[in-house]
Amino acid sequence: MSCMIRASLRAHSRTLSACLLAFLGAAVCAQSQNAAPAQPAQTNPQSAAPSAPPAATQSATPRVRPIDAAAPLPDRTAMLRGAYGPFRANNDLLYYHLTVRVDPADQSLRGNNTVRFRMLKDGSRIQLDLQEPLQVDKILLGSTQLQYQRDSGAVFIDFPQTLRAGQVYSIDFYYSGHPRTTGRFGGITFKTDPAGHTWINTACEGIGASLWWPDKDQWRDEVDTMDLSVEIPNGLTDVSNGKFIGKTDLGDGYTRWDWHVSYPINNYDVSLNIGDYVHFSDRLGDVLMDFYALPADLDKAKTQFAQAKGMLEAYQHYFGEYPFAKDGYKLIEAPYSGMEHQSAVTYGNLFENGYLGRDWTGVGISPRFDFIIIHESGHEWFGNSITAADPSDMWIHEGWTTYLESLYVEYRWGTADAIKYLSGYKPKIHNLRPIVGERGVNAEPPEDQYFKGALMLNTLRSVIHNDAAWWKLLHDLYQHFKYQNILTEDIVAYCNQHTGMNLTPIFNQYLRHAQIPRLELLFGEAPGMVLYKWRADEEDFAMPIRVGTPDHWQILHPTTHWQSMQSDLTKDQFAVDTDHYYVDVNKQ
Ligand SMILES: [Zn+2]
């Protein structure tokens, strides 16, 4: 367990209860009387699928959303799922083989997940997760049936003898039942398409993959590889993650579809897409691109999905090779707006540009491309390849991927349009609470992680003030952290080291405080002297910024203490380059 997590647990033990550490550790506390008033994460609409883009119905004008005003207090389920407690930390995931039979008529699942892991320390208990009402049928170590205790979605598995550090073990977790359908995208939904055929899809990031299959349902640890064997009625198609291995008629009316994932994968990225799909394919270099749509939408899909190739080209230009080349890239029609399932991006954006028919940033650029193809696929680099180790740091997925949208715009249409596109995000920002939330409690960051996160990165580009260095930093940072699960501190340390600058106060101000920095400017009666300083929560906040006029910017180096400059500009003439720096300005 890292020091950081310990600190987080200590913080909680003060605010919530002394019992908390006990129940994180021993798993079974008397009851959840210590938890603050229950506010299940799933009642928060943003919790449903936070890594999908915010709902497109959002107003283009600023408004106060109570949901952003304060982070919901974690309940017992969130604590058990969010904490990286001792029965998670004592092992390292290596491999899953999920075999699941899906019965569309009964809307039920029955399956087994083979979980292979290496013990990191001696122990006789581990924590996996499976949410009710799904049933645990049995858990086997070889032929030995293991004892277990269920608690609020967690399943604590006890072994008859001590598992030894360094040794690899494999257990088979059998389960069955009717999974819940809940949250923005349903978690798992049993639908029919407009032609009346079965259409079953999963999208479970916020609510957790243990909604529909047993796994170690957290963000810090990932398997290295995975196999999926999905048994579905004959005639349907399953599209899951990874490379399609083949299908086998099981002779009982069901066909098994086998998929192999050759890379680490988030639990929530593991996906079923079962339907009457038709398929077409393309290729970009060595990357096989497979597209799946309903038959009625095939022509529209062939036109719209062509954008995926340009997306891959743009992101490969900035960051390097598509992260999951051995698995290929897939784009799959789904009955919700979209989700970044690894190597199997799901799509429901009406086969139109923009986002659900709208000019998403309201400045005329969004209608040039399909927001879902560009955004969700960007997560292959930030979210799927580089993954936050705790949901608290999810801006690593969403802030970066929102910034990637602007890189796509820049690659296609140039810098000016990219800056314009990003500026269109400003009215969506609330600045009501910090972007980085509490660790270890499955806490969901506010929506600002998307837009403010992207504008912070654009601001950093201006701070570095050398595009060649910026592009190298982006590329090298991605390459350094790819396939890893990291925290904000890792990104900050990398940027400090590779720029030679102390960017920590800047990252902290944007990520760990609600307010953005405000440039205070004091003008005298006549042009001549201007006083300036930053108003910021970070005491040593010092960020260069361009001021003056657009055809003659000069770089100021304000700190949180007053300084003065000579200027012939009047208060009205004196401008601040807020297109390239996301800051407030107060002129007096
Ligand atoms: Zn996203």
Side-chain angles (χ1 to χ4, degrees):
M1 186 190 298
S2 72
C3 296
M4 193 164 45
I5 297 296
R6 285 183 195 282
S8 173
L9 295 182
R10 276 199 300 274
H12 267 286
S13 67
R14 284 197 301 274
T15 53
L16 289 181
S17 79
C19 180
L20 187 62
L21 282 172
F23 98 66
L24 291 174
V28 183
C29 177
Q31 52 181 303
S32 58
Q33 77 273 21
N34 305 299
Q39 187 175 354
Q42 59 268 33
T43 64
N44 175 342
Q46 287 194 4
S47 292
S51 190
T57 51
Q58 184 183 358
S59 163
T61 54
R63 61 191 172 129
V64 175
R65 293 159 51 98
I67 199 169
D68 275 342
L73 290 168
D75 67 357
R76 180 174 178 76
T77 301
M79 295 301 305
L80 279 169
R81 193 144 74 78
Y84 205 69
F87 304 121
R88 283 173 163 172
N90 67 2
N91 69 85
D92 176 34
L93 285 173
L94 300 176
Y95 171 74
Y96 291 139
H97 184 175
L98 175 63
T99 301
V100 60
R101 175 168 287 222
V102 182
D103 183 337
D106 189 43
Q107 301 194 357
S108 65
L109 308 173
R110 175 178 298 276
N112 164 35
N113 189 17
T114 300
V115 182
R116 194 156 70 220
F117 55 95
R118 177 180 288 110
M119 288 303 282
L120 299 175
K121 54 174 68 172
D122 288 358
S124 59
R125 168 174 270 207
I126 66 168
Q127 178 188 346
L128 296 180
D129 303 270
L130 183 69
Q131 297 178 33
E132 292 174 337
L134 288 174
Q135 300 145 22
V136 180
D137 293 333
K138 60 183 174 184
I139 304 173
L140 299 178
L141 173 69
S143 58
T144 303
Q145 196 148 335
L146 300 173
Q147 301 295 310
Y148 60 88
Q149 284 181 288
R150 302 190 75 172
D151 182 3
S152 308
V155 182
F156 294 93
I157 301 167
D158 291 309
F159 295 84
Q161 61 281 111
T162 301
L163 307 185
R164 296 298 176 190
Q167 296 295 307
V168 172
Y169 298 90
S170 181
I171 60 174
D172 290 297
F173 191 132
Y174 290 86
Y175 76 111
S176 61
H178 298 84
R180 286 184 300 151
T181 289
T182 182
R184 182 170 157 210
F185 295 155
I188 180 168
T189 56
F190 295 83
K191 296 186 175 180
T192 51
D193 69 19
H197 294 103
T198 293
W199 206 12
I200 299 170
N201 304 80
T202 63
C204 58
E205 180 177 14
I207 195 68
S210 55
L211 177 87
W212 68 272
W213 60 287
D215 63 280
K216 185 176 175 179
D217 201 357
Q218 43 69 57
W219 284 27
R220 183 171 296 262
D221 191 11
E222 296 180 8
V223 289
D224 301 329
T225 62
M226 178 169 184
D227 281 293
L228 285 115
S229 299
V230 183
E231 300 175 8
I232 53 176
N234 294 343
L236 292 169
T237 294
D238 171 62
V239 191
S240 288
N241 317 81
K243 183 178 180 181
F244 179 56
I245 302 301
K247 58 178 179 175
T248 305
D249 190 332
L250 300 174
D252 60 355
Y254 274 72
T255 296
R256 190 183 71 230
W257 294 68
D258 290 314
W259 298 85
H260 178 69
V261 179
S262 295
Y263 303 88
I265 184 168
N266 305 335
N267 297 314
Y268 66 78
D269 269 330
V270 175
S271 179
L272 306 179
N273 297 282
I274 299 163
D276 182 34
Y277 285 114
V278 287
H279 167 238
F280 57 99
S281 60
D282 199 350
R283 173 178 285 280
L284 179 67
D286 292 336
V287 180
L288 189 60
M289 306 177 70
D290 287 294
F291 303 98
Y292 296 85
L294 299 178
D297 295 325
L298 179 61
D299 290 342
K300 286 184 286 186
K302 281 185 170 174
T303 302
Q304 195 73 0
F305 288 1
Q307 291 187 33
K309 199 182 247 185
M311 171 280 299
L312 284 179
E313 284 173 350
Y315 294 152
Q316 291 191 144
H317 167 79
Y318 291 105
F319 299 104
E321 185 186 50
Y322 169 69
F324 308 108
K326 281 186 274 187
D327 289 352
Y329 169 86
K330 293 176 284 300
L331 194 56
I332 307 151
E333 184 175 359
Y336 55 86
S337 59
M339 184 67 197
E340 68 262 28
H341 300 121
Q342 184 169 307
S343 83
V345 173
T346 39
Y347 175 92
N349 197 32
L350 313 175
F351 302 99
E352 291 176 1
N353 284 353
Y355 182 23
L356 296 176
R358 288 188 53 219
D359 177 353
W360 175 227
T361 67
V363 292
I365 293 174
S366 186
R368 298 179 194 168
F369 63 91
D370 190 307
F371 173 79
I372 287 294
I373 294 175
I374 302 309
H375 177 91
E376 303 306 339
S377 304
H379 280 305
E380 298 278 40
W381 282 262
F382 286 87
N384 300 348
S385 177
I386 295 180
T387 304
D390 190 297
S392 58
D393 294 54
M394 207 170 94
W395 77 276
I396 295 170
H397 302 193
E398 299 303 348
W400 276 93
T401 298
T402 304
Y403 184 67
L404 261 61
E405 296 165 23
S406 77
L407 294 182
Y408 175 79
V409 172
E410 182 149 358
Y411 184 78
R412 294 285 312 274
W413 298 289
T415 308
D417 281 354
I419 298 300
K420 187 176 170 190
Y421 179 80
L422 280 170
S423 293
Y425 272 135
K426 288 179 186 170
K428 300 181 191 294
I429 298 174
H430 307 297
N431 290 325
L432 290 175
R433 61 179 169 105
I435 287 177
V436 174
E438 185 158 16
R439 295 234 166 102
V441 294
N442 203 38
E444 180 208 333
E447 203 174 82
D448 282 357
Q449 63 172 321
Y450 289 79
F451 319 121
K452 188 175 175 179
L455 283 160
M456 177 192 73
L457 292 171
N458 187 51
T459 302
L460 281 175
R461 174 181 179 177
S462 305
V463 169
I464 288 169
H465 196 51
N466 176 337
D467 274 352
W470 177 245
W471 300 135
K472 180 170 172 21
L473 180 68
L474 293 189
H475 177 272
D476 292 354
L477 180 146
Y478 168 74
Q479 291 293 330
H480 181 77
F481 289 119
K482 64 183 178 184
Y483 309 124
Q484 295 181 44
N485 300 53
I486 63 171
L487 293 169
T488 299
E489 296 88 311
D490 299 309
I491 289 183
V492 175
Y494 185 92
C495 290
N496 285 344
Q497 185 187 343
H498 290 265
T499 61
M501 304 168 78
N502 176 20
L503 300 169
T504 304
I506 299 177
F507 277 109
N508 281 352
Q509 183 63 42
Y510 285 95
L511 297 174
R512 300 183 188 280
H513 299 285
Q515 293 299 320
I516 58 174
R518 187 164 86 176
L519 185 63
E520 301 281 1
L521 296 169
L522 274 179
F523 294 83
E525 289 294 313
M529 176 82 79
V530 182
L531 297 177
Y532 60 91
K533 72 164 189 172
W534 286 116
R535 199 187 75 169
D537 301 277
E538 288 287 308
E539 206 171 310
D540 52 353
F541 185 83
M543 185 170 85
I545 188 164
R546 288 197 284 267
V547 301
T549 57
D551 54 359
H552 193 70
W553 292 123
Q554 70 175 101
I555 296 182
L556 274 191
H557 293 272
T559 66
T560 51
H561 302 286
W562 288 109
Q563 299 177 70
S564 64
M565 65 179 287
Q566 298 294 322
S567 174
D568 295 334
L569 300 173
T570 65
K571 182 174 158 185
D572 287 341
Q573 291 168 330
F574 193 98
V576 178
D577 187 6
T578 52
D579 284 343
H580 293 86
Y581 301 81
Y582 178 52
V583 298
D584 279 336
V585 177
N586 182 35
K587 293 186 193 176
Q588 289 188 45

